[in-house]
Amino acid sequence: MRILVTNDDGIHSPGLRLLYQFALELGEVDVVAPESPKSATGLGITLHKPLRMYETDICGFKVVATSGTPSDTVYLATLGLEKKYDLVLSGVNLGDNTSLQVIFSSGTLGAAFQAALLGIPAIAYSAHIEQWDEVLNDREALRIMSAVVKATAEFVARRGMPTGVDVISVNFPRRLRRGVAARLVKAAKLRYAQQVERRTDPRGVSYFWLYGKDLEPERDTDVYVVLKEENIAVTALTLNLNVLDAERAADLRSLKELVDYVNQSI
């Protein structure tokens, strides 16, 4: 099995190296990722300037860096390098990607969605943490994260993406400890109350900062499971936004079997 690993935090992200290490036991792994952080780029692709690619070695970690967005990397790896992949894994993102509000702007999910558009099964992984030391210095957290990545990837590789599902999003809570469980839940609509703050620079010219304030999460959603329950949220996503073009219903049985398989692996 050939696997493409990418992210939106850039080639120097510890989360990218972790995902690569987790995936190594599953097959042949290529790493193609942005040369610098490209968070919140969503499904954006680069059309107004040329894209560059180059191989680099980061302390023994060999990757192909690109000047483009996470979405660009998927096209560069498949069409640019003319390679075929059985599975695309995106992450592990620094910070959760819960709620539709965040999913639509996420570069991590953007790469996964672009892979799905090409017909390649894709899984995105994100962690509700602020610094990677929270995971890297915790042996139990690394064990659980590794088990979840391997279980989800193995399940999809062996059985294919469940009917009606294009992308699977996995969000880890801040603390991964014994007893943590994976739950199959929908994405909340909102994660933050969007805010805009106006400021003035030293020359008297106005500028703005965009930011968000946490909202109280709705029960049985990815936000609630990760932030309140401190469990692992598994969210099945579809690319079809058409109201008048309803496709086959999602295979809930297979999704539940996937989550059961993950919980058995933890």
Side-chain angles (χ1 to χ4, degrees):
M1 176 170 61
R2 172 167 274 182
I3 301 169
L4 171 63
V5 167
T6 189
N7 74 346
D8 75 352
D9 290 327
I11 59 173
H12 298 284
S13 169
L16 183 69
R17 185 188 288 257
L18 282 179
L19 188 55
Y20 165 74
Q21 292 171 340
F22 298 156
L24 273 178
E25 296 181 24
L26 305 174
E28 183 179 348
V29 183
D30 291 338
V31 181
V32 184
E35 60 188 356
S36 60
K38 293 289 191 302
S39 296
T41 52
L43 287 159
I45 57 175
T46 303
L47 301 175
H48 59 282
K49 60 183 179 182
L51 293 168
R52 310 290 183 183
M53 301 179 70
Y54 57 93
E55 293 185 5
T56 185
D57 188 313
I58 306 172
C59 300
F61 179 40
K62 295 183 179 180
V63 304
V64 175
T66 79
S67 60
T69 67
S71 289
D72 290 330
T73 66
V74 173
Y75 291 112
L76 291 171
T78 54
L79 305 179
L81 297 179
E82 299 182 338
K83 291 188 176 182
K84 293 184 178 181
Y85 293 99
D86 304 297
L87 186 64
V88 171
L89 305 180
S90 185
V92 177
N93 191 70
L94 179 66
D96 63 280
N97 277 305
T98 55
S99 81
L100 295 174
Q101 178 188 38
V102 176
I103 288 169
F104 287 145
S105 63
S106 166
T108 302
L109 269 299
F113 284 132
Q114 296 290 3
L117 286 171
L118 291 174
I120 309 172
I123 309 172
Y125 303 93
S126 309
H128 177 51
I129 56 174
E130 295 179 0
Q131 299 181 40
W132 274 109
D133 287 348
E134 298 176 45
V135 172
L136 298 178
N137 296 325
D138 187 333
R139 184 175 299 179
E140 182 67 3
L142 288 172
R143 183 193 69 78
I144 294 172
M145 190 174 285
S146 174
V148 171
V149 169
K150 292 174 185 175
T152 50
E154 286 173 352
F155 187 94
V156 171
R158 186 174 67 250
R159 297 182 48 171
M161 195 66 77
T163 300
V165 179
D166 293 305
V167 167
I168 291 174
S169 177
V170 178
N171 279 277
F172 297 101
R174 185 177 298 279
R175 290 184 62 250
L176 286 170
R177 76 289 181 198
R178 190 175 300 277
V180 70
R183 286 195 56 198
L184 178 64
V185 286
K186 67 178 183 179
K189 184 177 182 180
L190 296 174
R191 168 83 160 79
Y192 304 103
Q194 198 66 47
Q195 306 287 314
V196 179
E197 183 173 327
R198 182 172 184 157
R199 299 181 182 181
T200 304
D201 69 18
R203 295 185 178 183
V205 180
S206 296
Y207 66 97
F208 300 87
W209 276 111
L210 301 182
Y211 67 99
K213 290 185 177 180
D214 287 342
L215 292 170
E216 187 64 25
E218 176 189 355
R219 286 182 175 274
D220 295 321
T221 64
D222 53 356
V223 181
Y224 190 90
V225 166
V226 172
L227 272 63
K228 295 295 186 179
E229 294 183 3
E230 295 188 329
N231 280 318
I232 301 165
V234 178
T235 304
L237 302 169
T238 176
L239 287 165
N240 188 10
L241 303 178
N242 293 298
V243 172
L244 300 181
D245 182 29
E247 295 182 344
R248 291 176 294 174
D251 184 355
L252 293 180
R253 179 177 178 179
S254 291
L255 286 169
K256 290 176 181 177
E257 290 175 351
L258 165 62
V259 172
D260 287 343
Y261 185 63
V262 171
N263 283 322
Q264 292 168 10
S265 302
I266 296 176

